[in-house]
Amino acid sequence: QVQVAESGGGSVQAGGSLRLSCTAPGFTSKNCGIMWYRQAEGKQREWVLTSHNVGTTIYVDSVKGRFTISKDNAKDTVYLQMDKLKFEDTAMYSCKTFGSSGCYSDWGQGTQVTVSS
């Protein structure tokens, strides 16, 4: 099992940027993929992106061209660069690993992103 920890959230004005981090010790050596989700207050959790261990990343349409994922394998950390943020991006962001049975992770505590219009 992999333990994930998210960080980097905060408050920003619309049009601004934030970089979130998802640290998941062991996910590189286990060839796990990473998914990001977000949940706005009063709404269901929404899938944001899936990043496969081979490098392919798929984004939800609403963030394409604005969000970019990168990885630091040495640190077992995935970064989510969020640019041109919109009010509707306001949510609690969480990451999760996937892949082989050793890649299972529980939900982390998440990191709050608040965008003011």
Side-chain angles (χ1 to χ4, degrees):
Q1 187 168 340
V2 178
Q3 301 292 328
V4 300
E6 304 92 340
S7 63
S11 297
V12 65
Q13 288 189 329
S17 299
L18 282 173
R19 189 179 78 160
L20 307 185
S21 300
C22 171
T23 299
F27 95 92
T28 300
S29 61
K30 295 178 182 180
N31 294 317
C32 306
I34 291 278
M35 293 184 288
W36 279 96
Y37 288 81
R38 64 186 180 184
Q39 187 168 21
E41 190 171 351
K43 295 187 177 181
Q44 289 189 331
R45 183 178 286 129
E46 174 190 31
W47 168 80
V48 177
L49 68 88
T50 297
S51 180
H52 296 276
N53 63 318
V54 294
T56 304
T57 302
I58 304 170
Y59 299 89
V60 67
D61 285 347
S62 60
V63 308
K64 283 181 181 178
R66 300 188 298 119
F67 289 14
T68 305
I69 197 167
S70 61
K71 300 178 184 179
D72 185 334
N73 291 333
K75 296 182 178 180
D76 276 332
T77 297
V78 170
Y79 301 102
L80 180 59
Q81 179 67 38
M82 306 188 298
D83 299 318
K84 300 177 182 179
L85 282 163
K86 303 177 181 180
F87 174 76
E88 50 264 40
D89 294 319
T90 296
M92 180 71 76
Y93 285 72
S94 302
C95 63
K96 222 176 183 314
T97 54
F98 72 94
S100 64
S101 60
C103 292
Y104 172 80
S105 70
D106 288 327
W107 291 108
Q109 290 188 330
T111 186
Q112 178 68 36
V113 171
T114 302
V115 184
S116 57
S117 57

